[in-house]
């Protein structure tokens, strides 16, 4: 572990050891987490499902994730970060091993939904634990490294999965289950509980305060500035989800193999591995909403470019463009989410934020499979248009969001946070 931190040098910014164990668990898990990435091809090639049915089954994974992030957020605040991480990873490992031997499409759809729950539960706990142990001044670097580890793992997973998918889909699920189990062991061994269970001070009476202990999910779900940020993140997530849900079907229609798809995904991960560590120097000191707007513009250009891509070089070039956007967006997205969340509701805010990803994982294949079938290449132009709308949204929503963050930074820690619904 010391060698890893020494290799990163100043980029690591003196991050605590607990962060590095969380980082290592995430990396190992991602290296093996490629089974769901190839689920559309598994369903169509090995189980005889059509494109629309495959989209719906993959959508069940995203639908399960909606319940998973809500459950994970509540458990993160009540049960603890460590316990939530442990049991969600252990459950995901068992479910993935079961999916390896099940052949019935209805059973696969049910398992996909359950895996979606188990895969989404750790998200709020991971981020809440990082925010718990990393000082605010170093969180941008921590989230940048978290995103780097995620994509380093995905790069290795995609390259390996492209070969395994052509040899054995059974191996895909079993290796995924094994990697998840290794992550469970790391968390159980090295990650302590980071949730501080101190009794909150009684807030002064007044119309602009609510007891955060009682607010629960109501507080983030009535926080208009936070929900605007979540909606824009959802739009970006729908665009990004095309990579793992609709693009494999489009590449197959263009006569490209599973290994070609694995190469495209691996290139994006490899580019992030090389370039993500330089992102802090590009975005430090810049206003977050402008960075996010730039990221959405690049995503729009990249995915719209697939309308004219019909060979591997075209897909690789498009992937390069949208990957730059993803690299720029990751740190400010995580920072904004942490800045807007009251400390005692950190898990719940993370849960609502993380809803965007399973929701996108449901919407993207469910609508994208039908859209690709009937619109053809016009589907990618519609995805690009969505990116431009989200770009405009960030430019409009950014200034009031920054004013909220500045106001929260001056709120005394001993009182409850302002009621989000009452904030102009």
């Amino acid at each position: 572990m010391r060698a890893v931190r020494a290799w990163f040098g100043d980029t690591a910014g003196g991050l605590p050891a607990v962060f590095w164990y969380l980082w290592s668990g995430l990396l190992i898990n991602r290296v093996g987490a490629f089974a769901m990435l190839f689920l559309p091809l598994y369903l169509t090639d090995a189980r005889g499902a059509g494109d629309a049915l495959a989209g719906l089954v993959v959508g069940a994974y995203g639908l399960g994730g909606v319940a998973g992030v809500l459950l994970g957020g509540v458990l993160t605040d009540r049960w603890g970060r460590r316990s939530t991480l442990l049991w969600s990873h252990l459950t995901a490992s068992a479910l993935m091993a079961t999916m390896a031997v099940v052949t019935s499409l209805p059973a696969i759809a049910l398992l996909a939904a359950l895996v979606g729950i188990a895969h989404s539960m750790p998200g709020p706990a991971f981020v809440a634990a990082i925010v718990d142990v990393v000082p605010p001044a170093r969180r941008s670097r921590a989230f940048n490294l978290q995103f780097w580890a995620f994509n380093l793992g995905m790069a290795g997973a995609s390259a390996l999965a492209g070969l395994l998918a052509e040899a054995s889909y059974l191996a895909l699920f079993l290796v995924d289950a094994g990697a998840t189990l290794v992550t469970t062991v790391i968390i159980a061994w090295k990650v302590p509980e980071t949730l501080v269970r101190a009794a909150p001070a009684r807030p002064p009476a007044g119309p602009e305060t609510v007891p955060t202990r009682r607010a629960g999910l109501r507080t983030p779900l009535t926080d208009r500035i936070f929900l605007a940020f979540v909606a824009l993140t959802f739009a970006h997530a729908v665009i990004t989800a095309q990579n793992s849900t609709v693009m494999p079907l489009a590449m197959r229609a263009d006569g490209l193999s599973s290994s070609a798809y694995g190469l495209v995904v691996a290139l994006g991960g490899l580019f992030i591995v090389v370039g993500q560590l330089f992102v802090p120097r590009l975005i430090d000191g810049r206003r977050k909403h402008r960075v996010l707007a730039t990221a959405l513009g690049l995503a729009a250009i990249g995915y719209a470019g697939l309308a004219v891509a019909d060979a591997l070089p075209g897909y690789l070039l498009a992937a390069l463009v949208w990957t730059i956007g993803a690299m720029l967006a990751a740190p400010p997205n995580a920072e904004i989410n942490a800045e807007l969340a009251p400390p005692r509701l950190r898990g719940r805010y993370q849960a609502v934020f993380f809803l965007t990803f399973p929701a996108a994982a449901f919407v993207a294949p469910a609508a994208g499979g039908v859209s690709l079938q009937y619109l053809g290449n016009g589907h990618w132009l519609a995805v690009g248009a969505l990116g431009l709308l989200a770009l405009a949204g960030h430019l409009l929503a950014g200034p009031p969001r920054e004013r909220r963050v500045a106001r929260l930074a001056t709120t005394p820690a001993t009182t409850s946070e302002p009621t989000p619904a009452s904030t102009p």
Side-chain angles (χ1 to χ4, degrees):
M1 188 60 61
R2 291 180 180 176
V4 174
R5 284 181 283 175
W7 185 82
F8 282 107
D10 292 339
T11 305
L15 295 169
V18 173
F19 166 79
W20 287 105
Y21 290 119
L22 290 166
W23 181 89
S24 300
L26 176 65
L27 175 62
I28 294 170
N29 193 19
R30 286 298 93 194
V31 169
F34 43 61
M36 303 310 289
L37 186 68
F38 275 76
L39 186 58
L41 297 178
Y42 168 70
L43 291 168
T44 54
D45 293 347
R47 299 301 168 214
D51 288 352
L53 179 58
L56 290 174
V57 174
V58 176
Y61 172 78
L63 194 60
V66 172
V69 291
L70 290 175
L71 179 60
V74 173
L75 291 178
T76 293
D77 285 338
R78 293 186 178 179
W79 196 11
R81 283 64 155 135
R82 184 177 184 272
S83 297
T84 303
L85 289 170
L86 279 175
W87 287 104
S88 58
H89 280 90
L90 189 62
T91 302
S93 179
L95 289 171
M96 195 60 68
T98 303
M99 187 176 283
V101 297
V102 170
T103 59
S104 167
L105 280 174
I108 291 173
L110 175 61
L111 284 170
L114 294 175
V115 170
I117 295 174
H119 274 182
S120 298
M121 283 179 61
F126 259 123
V127 178
I130 290 173
V131 176
D132 289 343
V133 301
V134 177
R138 296 173 181 171
R139 285 175 189 163
S140 177
R141 295 183 184 276
F143 289 130
N144 190 65
L145 288 167
Q146 178 198 16
F147 185 66
W148 185 86
F150 182 91
N151 285 278
L152 175 61
M154 288 296 291
S158 301
L160 179 61
L163 300 175
L164 285 175
E166 295 183 351
S168 170
Y169 281 110
L170 176 65
L172 284 176
F173 294 103
L174 292 180
V175 172
D176 191 313
T180 305
L181 189 60
V182 171
T183 299
T184 307
V185 172
I186 291 175
I187 293 169
W189 182 30
K190 287 293 186 180
V191 177
E193 179 55 63
T194 64
L195 175 62
V196 178
R197 299 181 184 278
R202 181 178 296 276
E208 295 187 353
T209 60
V210 295
T212 57
R213 196 176 187 85
R214 297 179 183 176
L217 285 171
R218 184 188 66 184
T219 302
L221 291 176
T222 55
D223 186 334
R224 291 174 295 191
I225 288 180
F226 176 68
L227 289 179
F229 170 64
V230 169
L232 293 170
T233 304
F234 171 72
H236 198 176
V238 169
I239 295 170
T240 304
Q242 306 298 313
N243 187 33
S244 60
T245 57
V246 181
M247 191 177 73
L249 303 177
M251 292 185 70
R252 189 187 61 181
D254 286 331
L256 298 172
S257 65
S258 298
S259 58
Y261 169 63
L263 179 61
V264 172
V265 178
L267 175 71
L270 180 61
F271 188 69
I272 289 174
V273 169
V274 174
Q276 189 70 41
L277 297 179
F278 300 97
V279 167
R281 299 180 183 178
L282 297 176
I283 66 175
D284 281 352
R286 301 185 185 275
R287 301 179 71 178
K288 295 182 181 68
H289 68 280
R290 293 180 180 173
V291 174
L292 291 173
T294 302
L296 263 298
L298 291 170
I301 293 171
Y303 282 99
L306 295 185
V308 296
D310 56 3
L312 184 57
Y315 282 95
L316 291 173
L317 179 60
L320 184 64
V321 174
W322 73 58
T323 298
I324 296 175
M327 291 167 57
L328 295 176
N333 259 335
E335 280 188 276
I336 291 169
N337 190 26
E339 290 168 347
L340 292 176
R344 297 191 182 280
L345 296 178
R346 195 164 279 158
R348 291 168 173 83
Y349 265 71
Q350 293 294 337
V352 175
F353 174 76
F354 273 92
L355 274 177
T356 60
F357 303 106
F362 171 74
V363 171
V370 176
S371 174
L372 185 66
Q373 183 172 333
Y374 291 102
L375 297 181
N377 287 333
H379 166 78
W380 301 113
L381 298 178
V383 172
L386 176 62
L388 294 179
L389 288 175
L391 181 158
H394 272 298
L395 293 177
L396 292 173
R401 186 170 62 224
E402 291 177 353
R403 290 193 293 270
R404 159 73 74 77
V405 171
R407 194 157 50 246
L408 286 176
T410 61
T411 301
T414 57
T415 64
S416 294
E417 290 73 20
T419 305
S422 68
T423 303

